[in-house]
Amino acid sequence: MQTELSKKLGVEHAVFGFTPFPAVAAAISRAGGFGVLGAVRYTAPDDLKRDLDWIEAHVEDRPYGLDVVMPAKKVEGVSEADVEAMIPEGHRQFVTDTLAKYGVPELAEGEASGWRITGWMEQVARTQLDVAFDYPIKLLANALGSPPADIVARAHERDVLVAALAGSARHARKHKDAGIDIVVAQGYEAGGHTGEIASMVLTPEVVEAVDPLPVLAAGGIGSGQQVAAALTLGAQGVWLGSIWLTTTEAELHSPALTRKLLAAGSGDTVRSRALTGKPARQLRTEWTDAWDDPAGPGTLPMPLQGLLVAEAVSRIQKYEVDPLLGTPVGQIVGRMNSERSVRAVFDDLTRGFERAVDRLNRIAGRSGQS
């Protein structure tokens, strides 16, 4: 599964794996792909440094990258406390009442909630990059538009390629104009924040829009046949995220959530604003249903929604309250029905890719060629 881009980066397979887990990122690179560590949860630079040190010790000199979240627009001089003060009391009460309805216990006294909005603020992402640029990362990806021009320049000074996600050809052209090296065409089927265009339509549109920049296809991809389809549509690789959540190297720390992922079908996700205020595909739960119910108060815009629900999400996850327990995940969850190692996932991808290529060769009258 090699392309011009994978050869340029020195990887065997044009499979780029996004993950919040260092062990998964390292395993992806060791298996011949390109591991990309998600940095949004690292609010302390020392924590990111610790995990990058770990990757360096376990990646066996294979290339890897980092994914940050730097909003395309920012508001100067606004603190987290200022944002907190904008949350209506009625929404706070809705959270309290919903958690009480399902008997969700409080966090221990003095225990902080896990995920906080600070990881989405530009100044935090900049401190992450101050750490990351001291490591031999080969790729910097940004999930919310093109990164600022000075960040693109800093990356290029270090021979680091810059990638950005796009949900439309219009977004992709903006990335090209901003000097981005790789565009990730993220379809409607993907987990997390997504647009409204499906991968089969989006990928060739983006390929045409940014030619000759390389494009990675993302969204609903979890088999070798789908990798082959993406390359056929003009992509130079695939960007996979959800498929790694049920690997043995993943650190979900929640047997209940793993069980839910393994049992879910492709129709068991929903694009909901419940988590961050922007549409994000995730497992459908009674928590997402409550927020999407017209009888409720409705979600708040980003970043208010994320701050509002941060502690609630931490409590739901800590105590594994099954009806409310969910996670961002794409429609490919329907294929994630067993726990496997990252290496086993790659074995499945390469075998499926070979079968798809052989099938196309037979159709084209080239039996025996590959």
Side-chain angles (χ1 to χ4, degrees):
M1 296 189 289
Q2 277 206 337
T3 65
E4 183 180 345
L5 178 61
S6 66
K7 292 175 183 177
K8 180 177 182 178
L9 286 166
V11 295
E12 184 180 357
H13 303 301
V15 175
F16 294 71
F18 164 80
T19 174
F21 307 123
V24 175
I28 290 169
S29 291
R30 289 198 307 271
F34 192 99
V36 182
L37 178 67
V40 69
R41 66 190 179 99
Y42 294 99
T43 56
D46 286 347
D47 291 341
L48 178 58
K49 184 178 186 304
R50 177 201 63 216
D51 283 356
L52 288 175
D53 283 339
W54 190 94
I55 289 177
E56 276 290 298
H58 293 83
V59 81
E60 297 179 356
D61 294 324
R62 304 293 181 90
Y64 64 94
L66 191 75
D67 179 279
V68 297
V69 177
M70 301 187 78
K73 298 179 181 178
K74 64 176 179 177
V75 179
E76 299 284 0
V78 177
S79 68
E80 186 177 343
D82 294 331
V83 178
E84 285 263 19
M86 300 177 190
I87 298 174
E89 187 56 39
H91 282 73
R92 295 188 187 277
Q93 190 60 50
F94 180 75
V95 171
T96 299
D97 293 345
T98 303
L99 296 179
K101 175 182 176 181
Y102 291 92
V104 182
E106 298 275 356
L107 294 176
E109 186 174 349
E111 183 178 358
S113 61
W115 178 79
R116 295 295 286 172
I117 199 66
T118 51
W120 298 78
M121 293 182 172
E122 181 177 325
Q123 61 267 32
V124 175
R126 285 184 177 275
T127 64
Q128 294 167 348
L129 291 175
D130 288 340
V131 172
F133 281 142
D134 285 335
Y135 291 81
I137 61 171
K138 298 298 183 185
L139 176 72
L140 171 65
N142 191 51
L144 287 179
S146 305
D150 66 299
I151 297 298
V152 175
R154 283 180 67 188
H156 287 166
E157 287 170 2
R158 292 162 174 79
D159 293 325
V160 175
L161 297 181
V162 181
L165 277 64
S168 71
R170 178 173 61 86
H171 292 154
R173 280 189 287 268
K174 287 184 177 181
H175 293 333
K176 183 179 181 181
D177 293 341
I180 301 304
D181 304 293
I182 302 168
V183 177
V184 181
Q186 184 174 9
Y188 170 86
E189 309 94 326
H193 295 120
T194 71
E196 298 181 347
I197 305 174
S199 299
M200 183 65 75
V201 175
L202 179 66
T203 302
E205 285 187 351
V206 171
V207 168
E208 182 177 347
V210 302
D211 184 62
L213 290 186
V215 172
L216 302 177
I221 300 172
S223 72
Q225 291 89 338
Q226 291 169 309
V227 175
L231 300 189
T232 302
L233 293 172
Q236 286 204 31
V238 293
W239 178 274
L240 309 185
S242 297
I243 197 74
W244 317 111
L245 288 173
T246 51
T247 57
T248 53
E249 292 91 345
E251 302 158 32
L252 282 180
H253 303 303
S254 174
L257 181 55
T258 299
R259 286 196 300 272
K260 290 189 78 170
L261 288 169
L262 295 175
S266 56
D268 293 328
T269 69
V270 63
R271 284 175 78 245
S272 171
R273 298 178 184 268
L275 186 61
T276 69
K278 284 185 177 289
R281 186 170 297 285
Q282 54 203 281
L283 279 180
R284 182 176 181 178
T285 66
E286 293 184 33
W287 177 255
T288 61
D289 286 350
W291 283 105
D292 296 338
D293 189 337
T299 55
L300 297 170
M302 181 186 274
L304 301 183
Q305 183 71 16
L307 276 173
L308 172 64
V309 305
E311 181 179 319
V313 171
S314 293
R315 288 164 61 184
I316 291 166
Q317 292 176 344
K318 177 177 180 178
Y319 299 109
E320 297 189 308
V321 183
D322 197 84
L324 307 180
L325 186 63
T327 186
V329 69
Q331 292 179 330
I332 197 62
V333 71
R335 291 185 62 92
M336 296 158 50
N337 47 28
S338 65
E339 289 188 79
R340 301 177 293 168
S341 68
V342 168
R343 174 66 69 177
V345 172
F346 266 89
D347 289 344
D348 182 62
L349 290 173
T350 53
R351 285 195 296 266
F353 181 82
E354 289 170 357
R355 287 195 296 270
V357 171
D358 287 344
R359 185 180 304 118
L360 288 173
N361 280 331
R362 288 196 299 273
I363 292 171
R366 300 182 184 133
S367 180
Q369 299 180 31
S370 61

